[in-house]
Amino acid sequence: MTVTGGTATAPTRLLADGDVPVDISRVPAREAAERELSRPMYHENDPSLLQRGLDRFWEWLDDLFGAASGATPGGVLGLVTVILLATALVAALWWRLGTPRRTPGSSADSLFPDGPRTARDHRTAAARHASAGHWNEAVQERMRAIVRSLEERTLLDPRPGRTADEAAAEAGRSLPAHADELRLAARTFDDVTYGGRTADEPAYRRVEELDTALERTRPTLDTAATGAPA
């Protein structure tokens, strides 16, 4: 045993080239072994950093599902059932509500993004889209025709930024017989414009029929109207 600085260390005996035993301390021996083991030849088959990260992730995920299945009645089967029910609920809500709508008034001109056009222009565009089977665009243009026509008849004051809902509510006061149809048309416009819904021909025909009926309807003058009748 070799004594260094009052501390006994167990020597490690190595053989030199001439087969003569050489005593070295434990620390240098460990460092020599670490240097030897750090050589690339010993790590050729080690997993890559990405593989080690993926292994850790899958281990964590397995532990997570194991803990969740242990806390869920029915074990793994119960957990899968809960996940499927939650997915179905989210899908049902998405289908029912559509994508989040824009806040009313958030656009400079919600109904007329392309600038002022006449009701006749919007009707022509609506008919063109309908003949091509583009029902979303046809609904949008027909609703714009309704609002522009009411403005041209001075039943609505021209106001940039007015939403379809606002126009329907204002027009319903002077045209109470069509208030419900106006609200439905505005809702259809919002669904296809902001809600990610797809219109069909019956939806367009309802808006078209409302436009035609409004053209033949005289306003009720004893309610809060925005202007004089045409």
Side-chain angles (χ1 to χ4, degrees), residues 20-172:
V20 179
V22 178
D23 292 341
I24 61 175
S25 64
R26 181 178 301 169
V27 174
R30 185 178 68 247
E31 292 176 348
E34 290 175 351
R35 284 194 299 271
E36 176 65 20
L37 293 176
S38 65
R39 294 173 61 184
M41 62 179 295
Y42 295 108
H43 302 279
E44 292 178 352
N45 298 321
D46 287 355
S48 64
L49 180 62
L50 177 60
Q51 184 61 48
R52 291 198 298 271
L54 288 174
D55 290 342
R56 292 290 182 87
F57 171 76
W58 291 118
E59 290 174 2
W60 171 81
L61 197 62
D62 184 65
D63 293 341
L64 179 63
F65 273 93
S69 62
T72 304
V76 176
L77 181 60
L79 177 62
V80 172
T81 302
V82 170
I83 293 174
L84 291 177
L85 289 175
T87 303
L89 178 61
V90 171
L93 289 174
W94 188 273
W95 178 85
R96 178 65 182 84
L97 301 177
T99 55
R101 296 183 182 182
R102 297 189 304 180
T103 303
S106 62
S107 172
D109 196 350
S110 298
L111 272 170
F112 305 105
D114 299 328
R117 297 162 64 192
T118 67
R120 183 175 181 177
D121 291 337
H122 289 295
R123 290 189 182 107
T124 300
R128 184 173 62 252
H129 287 304
S131 64
H134 301 156
W135 302 116
N136 280 16
E137 293 82 356
V139 165
Q140 291 170 326
E141 288 299 325
R142 203 75 193 198
M143 185 62 193
R144 289 168 181 146
I146 289 175
V147 177
R148 185 64 78 203
S149 176
L150 294 174
E151 291 177 349
E152 291 171 354
R153 296 171 62 189
T154 67
L155 297 178
L156 288 177
D157 291 328
R159 177 161 56 85
R162 176 188 279 124
T163 65
D165 290 330
E166 292 169 345
E170 294 172 19

Side-chain angles (χ1 to χ4, degrees), residues 189-210:
F189 177 90
D190 287 345
D191 284 345
V192 302
T193 305
Y194 312 125
R197 300 290 185 83
T198 300
D200 53 14
E201 183 175 1
Y204 169 71
R205 296 305 175 193
R206 286 193 296 269
V207 182
E208 180 185 41
E209 291 170 3
L210 174 61

